[in-house]
């Protein structure tokens, strides 16, 4: 048994969070191939079906960006600049290949820059459409067929329908387990803190899916059994935003008298909640899940027209954000933090409408912008503190 | 007899107030410098000397401001947003909006009927809407800080600033000097740029009258007039705007001790 298998549950999640590549490197030593991916749009089931290990490429808030400025403008998303920086510094040199998608414009450009500068053995780019129209869905399915072809060529074996169905099943199992993990946050006090949840999520993004599922079962069991979980706090918060892959922000919030009990971010519920429907042709279910069912501001959804065929602002907001109202009710949330990375246009554009919606449903919110560095977090402290005073 | 202390360690100036029964007994201001702890110690010594008290006479001390964690003798810390709200409500009970122009940032706070904070917005990590912007430009123009306001009011043709950034603003001010513009016109232009930035914050938080201004920026009559013009209203200006937050901290100290 290797070292990393000796820890269990939350200890294991924390250990992997602190040293993300450890398990991936062990698997490499056992002869497995590890494929890095960006964001939530690459279809992971295809990797799993071919026995390739999916490994999510994340940034590092503690590492100053020094190399990436040579190939990316400084006025783009600092998370992606950090990711590129780590790539250039060799932190992802253990990857056998990468699959990236058109999450946003910066991610798209970075995918090509990554390929040029780092020249991985396997690189595939999925040009994920940005709308959910029928034509876009058909196009998405065709793009997944291309992805399947290049992966089969790389793996040197056929991706059978049966294997794909099995992979969908095991990934859906993970999604249901993540829902169970999130259910632990519904009681007051929650059975698991926001910081612990993030450590588990980062671990999931660093492990093969079956190992992730085992970890989730351990954590869920442990959270029910232990007596030293989080304490009741006056504020129960929902964290909405782009990506949070470092516990520093949640630590900061939770240290000020709040429990972060729910999130809508791309490493959290957004990435896991929608399931893949098992369809006759599995590609139909996958194409639909990864384009239509995933709810992210990067995908445009047509405004709902009222009976009079006129655009109605509130109906549009309701259509876009009512799931957040459901979250707030189910997780008994009394405040929302809108976290946006500097220069993240797609989340930035979403904020005015989302804020209007939250005002409309009487849910207090605060907008926090940061530039993805630990040093910049101190100035957020006063704002979070003042927000907690307002809602408390 | 119980005495209370409010200490506001700002990035530029440290302010302190001693109160008894909600009334100010003594106050003091000094530059924060590079050592907040030393500033906090000196501030307390000065305050106690002015109030003719010893440290044992102070029942409770609340620290606030950027350096609030560096006040070794505080009994509690409260955000400057809440302290500012409390201080301004004491001076102007009718206040519903406060524009607080500090050295490093500006914030706009909406108050409820009991003086509680109902909403607030802080300028992002950028000095453009803050007093620091004025200091940078005053330095370029070699004008004393206290002269900025009166001088700018003499302007007949304010220069339009195209940038909202304090760093680029400095180069822009230098260009305007090179073009031969008068100092008062450049300063009036800076005030307008600041007022634009601040009024956007006011818009975000929602304006409700009475509207007040606090912080070091409120000492600049040119800035006050520009904001009034922009918002089409008259601002209530407290007699000592820099002390508002420290006063609020002292009031909070009384409440927290109770």
């Amino acid at each position: 048994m290797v070292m990393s298998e000796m820890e269990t549950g939350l200890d294991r999640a924390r250990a992997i969070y602190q040293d993300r590549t450890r398990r991936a490197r062990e698997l490499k030593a056992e002869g497995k191939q590890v494929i890095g991916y960006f964001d939530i749009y690459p279809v992971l089931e295809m990797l799993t079906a071919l026995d390739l290990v999916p490994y999510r490429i994340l940034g590092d808030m503690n590492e100053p960006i020094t190399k990436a400025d040579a190939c990316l403008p400084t006025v783009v998303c600092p998370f992606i600049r950090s990711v590129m920086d780590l790539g250039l510094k060799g932190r992802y040199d253990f990857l056998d290949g990468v699959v990236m998608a058109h999450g946003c414009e910066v991610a798209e450009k970075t995918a090509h820059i990554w390929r040029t500068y780092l020249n991985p053995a396997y690189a595939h780019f999925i040009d994920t459409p940005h709308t959910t129209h029928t034509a876009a869905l058909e196009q998405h399915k065709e793009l997944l067929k291309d992805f399947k072809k290049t992966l089969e060529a790389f793996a040197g074996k056929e991706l059978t329908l049966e294997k794909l169905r099995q992979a969908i099943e095991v990934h859906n199992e993970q999604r249901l387990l993540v829902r169970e993990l999130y259910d632990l946050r519904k009681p007051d006090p929650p059975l698991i803190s926001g910081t612990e949840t993030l450590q588990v999520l980062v671990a999931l993004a660093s492990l093969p899916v079956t190992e992730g599922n085992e970890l989730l079962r351990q954590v869920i069991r442990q959270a029910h059994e232990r007596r030293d979980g989080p304490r009741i706090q006056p504020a129960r918060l929902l964290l909405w935003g782009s990506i949070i892959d470092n516990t520093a922000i949640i630590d900061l919030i939770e240290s000020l008298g709040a429990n972060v009990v729910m999130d809508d971010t791309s490493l959290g519920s957004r990435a896991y909640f929608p399931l893949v429907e098992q369809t006759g042709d599995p590609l139909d279910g996958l194409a639909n899940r990864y384009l239509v069912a995933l709810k992210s501001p990067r995908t445009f959804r047509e405004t709902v027209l009222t009976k009079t065929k006129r655009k109605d602002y509130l109906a549009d907001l309701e259509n876009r954000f009512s799931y957040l109202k459901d979250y707030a009710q189910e997780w008994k949330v009394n405040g929302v933090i809108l976290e946006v990375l500097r220069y993240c246009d797609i989340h930035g554009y979403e904020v005015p409408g989302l804020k209007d919606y939250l005002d409309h449903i009487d849910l207090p919110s605060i907008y926090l912008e940061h530039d993805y560095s630990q040093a910049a977090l101190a100035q957020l402290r006063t704002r979070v503190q003042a927000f907690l005073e307002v809602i408390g | 007899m119980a005495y209370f202390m409010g200490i506001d360690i700002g990035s530029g100036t440290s302010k302190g107030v001693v109160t008894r029964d909600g009334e100010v007994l003594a106050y003091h201001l000094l530059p924060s410098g590079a050592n907040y702890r030393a500033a906090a110690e000196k501030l307390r010594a000065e305050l106690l000397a002015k109030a003719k008290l010893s440290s044992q006479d102070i029942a409770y001390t609340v620290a606030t401001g950027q350096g609030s964690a560096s006040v070794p003798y505080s009994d509690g810390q409260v955000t400057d947003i809440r302290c500012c709200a409390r201080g301004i409500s004491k001076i102007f009970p009718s206040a519903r909006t406060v524009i607080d122009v500090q050295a490093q940032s500006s914030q706009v706070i909406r108050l409820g009927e009991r003086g509680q904070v109902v909403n607030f917005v802080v300028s992002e990590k950028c000095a453009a809407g803050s007093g620091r912007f004025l200091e940078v430009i005053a330095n370029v123009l070699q004008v004393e800080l206290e002269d900025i306001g009166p001088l700018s009011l003499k302007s007949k043709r304010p220069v339009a600033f195209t940038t909202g950034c304090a760093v680029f603003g400095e180069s822009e001010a230098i260009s305007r000097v090179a073009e031969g513009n008068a100092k008062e016109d450049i300063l009036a232009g800076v005030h307008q740029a600041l007022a634009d930035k601040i009024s956007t914050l006011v818009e975000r938080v929602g304006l409700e009258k009475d509207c007040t201004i606090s912080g070091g920026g409120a000492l600049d009559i040119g800035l006050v007039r520009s904001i009034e013009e922009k918002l089409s209203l008259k601002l209530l200006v407290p007699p000592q705007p820099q002390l508002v937050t420290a006063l609020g901290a002292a009031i909070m100290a009384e409440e927290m001790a109770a």
Side-chain angles (χ1 to χ4, degrees):
Chain A
M1 182 184 279
V2 283
M3 276 302 288
S4 58
E5 286 172 3
M6 290 165 65
E7 299 139 342
T8 60
L10 290 166
D11 287 341
R12 178 159 162 78
R14 191 183 319 109
I16 299 170
Y17 169 80
Q18 285 164 350
D19 182 7
R20 281 195 68 211
T21 62
R22 188 171 64 166
R23 183 64 189 138
R25 287 182 192 274
E26 282 174 2
L27 290 164
K28 279 275 289 186
E30 291 168 19
K32 295 265 185 191
Q33 287 182 304
V34 183
I35 303 292
Y37 66 96
F38 259 24
D39 207 352
I40 55 176
Y41 290 91
V43 175
L44 305 184
E45 285 83 345
M46 291 198 191
L47 298 173
T48 301
L50 283 167
D51 204 23
L52 301 166
V53 178
Y55 185 91
R56 186 154 173 182
I57 297 175
L58 298 175
D60 183 353
M61 275 174 76
N62 296 312
E63 174 72 28
I65 298 170
T66 51
K67 300 266 187 202
D69 289 354
C71 58
L72 279 177
T74 53
V75 288
V76 297
C77 164
F79 166 75
I80 292 195
R81 284 173 59 227
S82 171
V83 159
M84 191 68 225
D85 195 64
L86 298 182
L88 291 168
K89 287 172 178 165
R91 291 262 288 265
Y92 287 112
D93 60 359
F94 64 91
L95 296 177
D96 295 284
V98 288
V99 51
M100 299 176 176
H102 201 154
C104 63
E105 293 308 299
V106 184
E108 186 249 348
K109 297 291 179 289
T110 304
H112 304 310
I113 293 169
W114 186 287
R115 193 197 304 230
T116 306
Y117 277 72
L118 301 174
N119 197 25
Y122 171 76
H124 187 90
F125 177 71
I126 306 172
D127 196 8
T128 316
H130 286 263
T131 67
T132 55
H133 300 139
T134 312
L137 188 56
E138 284 168 10
Q139 185 199 359
H140 191 221
K141 187 180 170 188
E142 291 303 313
L143 291 165
L144 296 191
K145 285 183 190 166
D146 289 344
F147 178 37
K148 181 169 170 277
K149 263 187 223 159
T150 66
L151 261 188
E152 284 175 330
F154 173 71
K157 53 186 168 188
E158 195 196 341
L159 200 171
T160 64
L161 289 184
E162 195 39 44
K163 286 264 181 211
L164 194 51
R165 285 201 184 97
Q166 285 168 5
I168 291 172
E169 210 163 288
V170 72
H171 277 273
N172 272 348
E173 189 186 353
Q174 178 152 99
R175 291 168 187 135
L176 291 169
L177 284 166
V178 169
R179 276 193 176 255
E180 272 188 57
L181 177 79
Y182 275 63
D183 284 345
L184 299 172
R185 310 168 82 182
K186 287 180 178 172
D188 199 24
L191 302 182
I192 186 168
S193 72
T195 297
E196 289 168 331
T197 305
L198 183 59
Q199 286 171 345
V200 175
L201 293 167
V202 170
L204 293 183
S206 323
L207 291 174
V209 63
T210 45
E211 288 186 28
N213 291 355
E214 182 49 32
L215 175 72
L216 282 163
R217 283 189 208 98
Q218 291 169 0
V219 167
I220 292 163
R221 204 165 41 236
Q222 184 184 356
H224 280 294
E225 286 167 1
R226 69 173 174 173
R227 292 281 167 266
D228 58 346
R231 281 189 251 161
I232 290 186
Q233 300 285 3
R236 293 175 56 87
L237 303 179
L238 186 156
L239 189 56
W240 175 92
S242 41
I243 183 157
I244 295 175
D245 59 359
N246 189 300
T247 54
I249 296 179
I250 299 178
D251 269 344
L252 175 94
I253 299 167
E254 294 196 325
S255 73
L256 295 171
N259 281 317
V260 176
V261 295
M262 187 48 189
D263 69 62
D264 178 26
T265 66
S266 87
L267 198 63
S269 70
R270 195 182 291 164
Y272 290 97
F273 275 22
L275 297 177
V276 175
E277 194 188 333
Q278 290 279 19
T279 44
D281 179 352
L283 285 186
D284 285 319
L286 288 167
N288 186 67
R289 191 267 177 186
Y290 280 88
L291 182 68
V292 182
L294 275 187
K295 281 209 163 68
S296 163
R298 57 77 68 192
T299 306
F300 175 75
R301 280 162 215 277
E302 199 67 64
T303 301
V304 174
L305 298 180
T306 56
K307 284 178 195 148
T308 55
K309 298 284 178 202
R310 281 174 41 203
K311 285 191 178 179
D312 177 330
Y313 184 51
L314 265 182
D316 178 42
L317 295 182
E318 190 72 33
N319 181 47
R320 285 158 62 193
F321 303 122
S322 63
Y323 69 99
L324 290 172
K325 182 166 73 180
D326 298 339
Y327 288 171
Q329 281 167 355
E330 276 188 60
W331 276 266
K332 297 180 204 70
V333 163
N334 60 354
V336 180
I337 291 188
L338 306 173
E339 174 269 351
V340 174
L341 282 169
R342 182 152 307 200
Y343 305 121
C344 176
D345 293 349
I346 52 173
H347 284 83
Y349 283 132
E350 203 81 338
V351 168
L354 177 50
K355 224 168 168 357
D356 281 353
Y357 180 71
L358 296 172
D359 287 347
H360 174 68
I361 61 170
D362 286 330
L363 199 54
S365 63
I366 183 173
Y367 172 73
L368 295 181
E369 189 180 274
H370 66 100
D371 59 6
Y372 196 70
S373 75
Q374 290 262 20
L377 295 183
Q379 59 165 345
L380 299 183
R381 173 179 288 268
T382 310
R383 281 177 229 187
V384 174
Q385 243 173 333
F387 178 63
L388 295 177
E389 285 168 0
V390 171
I391 66 173
Chain B
M1 189 66 74
Y3 301 91
F4 300 92
M5 198 179 264
I7 300 289
D8 173 16
I9 309 290
S11 63
T13 310
S14 291
K15 290 81 61 175
V17 167
V18 176
T19 59
R20 186 182 58 198
D21 297 333
E23 297 307 317
V24 176
L25 200 65
Y27 65 86
H28 193 73
L29 298 88
L30 51 82
S32 297
N35 186 339
Y36 289 165
R37 202 184 166 92
E41 291 289 8
K42 194 166 175 212
L43 188 58
R44 175 166 71 160
E46 296 284 351
L47 281 169
L48 292 174
K50 282 188 175 177
K52 298 189 175 59
L53 297 171
S54 77
S55 55
Q56 284 80 34
D57 296 323
I58 305 297
Y60 204 95
T61 300
V62 163
T64 186
Q66 202 155 47
S68 59
S70 308
V71 182
Y73 50 85
S74 80
D75 300 299
Q77 290 178 34
V78 179
T79 61
D80 54 351
I81 292 164
R82 200 167 168 197
C83 289
C84 177
R86 202 50 69 92
I88 211 81
S89 296
K90 169 83 180 163
I91 304 165
F92 299 121
S94 64
R96 293 292 172 270
T97 309
V98 198
I99 298 167
D100 188 34
V101 184
Q102 306 178 350
Q104 286 300 327
S105 62
S106 295
Q107 49 203 25
V108 178
I109 309 164
R110 268 280 306 282
L111 307 175
E113 284 176 5
R114 291 171 287 109
Q116 80 279 22
V117 178
V118 292
N119 199 358
F120 67 93
V121 58
V122 184
S123 58
E124 297 305 329
K125 196 174 77 178
C126 166
S130 73
R132 179 74 193 132
F133 190 28
L134 280 169
E135 284 178 22
V136 168
I137 305 297
N139 192 34
V140 171
L141 300 178
Q142 295 183 342
V143 175
E144 292 298 325
L145 272 179
E146 54 271 29
D147 297 335
I148 294 179
L151 187 57
S152 71
L153 292 181
K154 291 181 185 158
S155 166
K156 296 275 182 287
R157 284 187 307 132
V159 167
F161 265 69
T162 54
T163 176
C165 167
V167 177
F168 293 126
E170 182 174 11
S171 1
E172 193 163 352
I174 294 169
S175 307
R176 298 291 166 257
V177 172
E179 286 165 11
N181 290 291
K183 284 183 182 180
E184 57 266 32
D185 291 337
I186 297 173
L187 288 171
V190 172
H191 283 145
Q192 288 189 353
L194 274 170
D196 278 337
K197 198 96 183 164
I198 288 167
S199 64
T200 310
L201 294 180
V202 174
E203 226 168 85
R204 276 171 58 190
V205 88
L207 175 67
E208 198 179 324
K209 288 180 185 173
D210 288 340
C211 187
T212 67
I213 184 164
S214 65
L219 296 169
D220 179 347
I221 184 68
L223 177 61
V224 174
R225 291 284 172 271
S226 295
I227 297 172
E228 287 181 334
E229 210 169 289
K230 195 88 211 160
L231 299 177
S232 310
L233 51 72
K234 186 103 185 90
L235 290 170
L236 300 180
V237 187
Q240 283 168 309
Q242 279 178 294
L243 288 175
V244 171
T245 301
L247 171 66
I251 296 168
M252 290 296 303
E254 292 200 26
E255 288 176 13
M256 286 163 78

